[in-house]
Amino acid sequence: MADSRVAVAGASGLIGSALVRSLTADGIEVVRLVRRAPTGPGEVRWDPEHGRVDAAGLAGCDAVVNLAGAGIGDRRWNDAHKARLRRSRVRGTAALAEAVATLEPRPRVFVNGSAIGYYGETGARPVDEDAPPGGVSCPRSAWTGRPRRNPHGRRASGRSSPGRASSSPPGAGVGRLFPLFRAGLGGRLGDGRQYWSFVALHDVVAALRHLLDRDDLSGPFNLTAPEPLTNREITAAMGRVLHRPTPFAVPAPVLRAVLGEMAGEVLGSARVRPTRLLESGFRFAFPDIDGAIRAAL
């Protein structure tokens, strides 16, 4: 994709900012969608809440990546915040798709961020891209937008786990646990038997680049490490890599009292595997939990 032009919505987020760094490092021109007045030629104004996009600023883009949406863990969940999470993703996706549909020539690929919340509670049962929706109402699964018309020749969806992307502190997911574990206060959450589909941030970005580069790939792809682990196993790995004891445990009722409905993000079990991604030839740089933790450090 050298000398190409890629538009990124959600470019200031954890994954978006890492993707932008990766693209620009390879000499790819990046157009960032921003909600304020643009301050440079690399920015395009959009208002996802009201469905407005400066489509003219997207002219000449070879690809569009949508990773935008209100933060999952920004605040305690209530009905109003859950509605905001859904609205920010569904409206933003639809607005961007409709804007892209007006372009000639159209971008050759539209990659839309999604989430493994699509599968719902899986327990110990492994699932991959062929599994049906889980029927849960959690807003993390709500950004599978359905534009009224097909705006591009190829469409791919990357289903990641926003609470499990390892990143440099103070990032998201596993990264947020580092201070506790470094202080020797780490431990399992709930009974620890719930599966976490973890993934290194490096591999999420590499997988998105893979979807952008391969013209033969379309449809959903799980952006998770090959083998999910239980919270108990990940807790042990954190202690092992950081050389700290992990004697503590936070009971499920305490987590629910503190986090409210968002406790489902850490107590829920999602044993999700990236079958289609592996079959496409993608290789993880950090397939195991120890490597993913070290990459985050």
Side-chain angles (χ1 to χ4, degrees), residues 138-206:
C138 176
R140 63 183 173 177
S141 63
W143 58 100
T144 304
R146 300 184 183 277
R148 289 188 292 275
R149 50 182 171 154
N150 184 11
H152 41 271
R154 181 167 66 92
R155 179 178 176 185
S157 174
R159 294 172 178 166
S160 62
S161 179
R164 308 284 180 265
S166 299
S167 62
S168 299
V174 174
R176 288 181 176 175
L177 300 176
F178 285 161
L180 286 175
F181 278 84
R182 280 175 165 152
L185 301 175
R188 60 178 172 80
L189 303 177
D191 62 19
R193 292 196 294 267
Q194 70 272 28
Y195 277 88
W196 279 11
S197 295
F198 70 94
V199 64
L201 179 62
H202 173 96
D203 284 328
V204 173
V205 172

Side-chain angles (χ1 to χ4, degrees), residues 26-93:
D26 286 343
I28 297 170
E29 180 184 355
V30 175
V31 176
R32 300 169 177 82
L33 277 77
V34 297
R35 292 175 172 83
R36 49 170 173 75
T39 59
E43 295 182 343
V44 170
R45 181 75 177 267
W46 82 319
D47 180 359
E49 180 71 18
H50 297 94
R52 292 192 288 266
V53 181
D54 178 11
L58 302 179
C61 285
D62 303 284
V64 175
V65 181
N66 179 27
L67 302 171
I72 295 292
D74 286 357
R75 64 189 67 180
R76 185 184 176 94
W77 285 0
N78 54 32
D79 289 343
H81 186 53
K82 287 191 295 181
R84 176 172 171 261
L85 292 173
R86 293 189 183 93
R87 186 171 61 247
S88 68
R89 287 162 170 82
V90 174
R91 290 185 181 178
T93 299

Side-chain angles (χ1 to χ4, degrees), residues 198-203 225-226 283-295:
F198 70 94
V199 64
L201 179 62
H202 173 96
D203 284 328
R283 293 296 176 262
F284 286 82
F286 305 100
D288 61 89
I289 187 61
D290 287 43
I293 294 171
R294 291 192 179 99

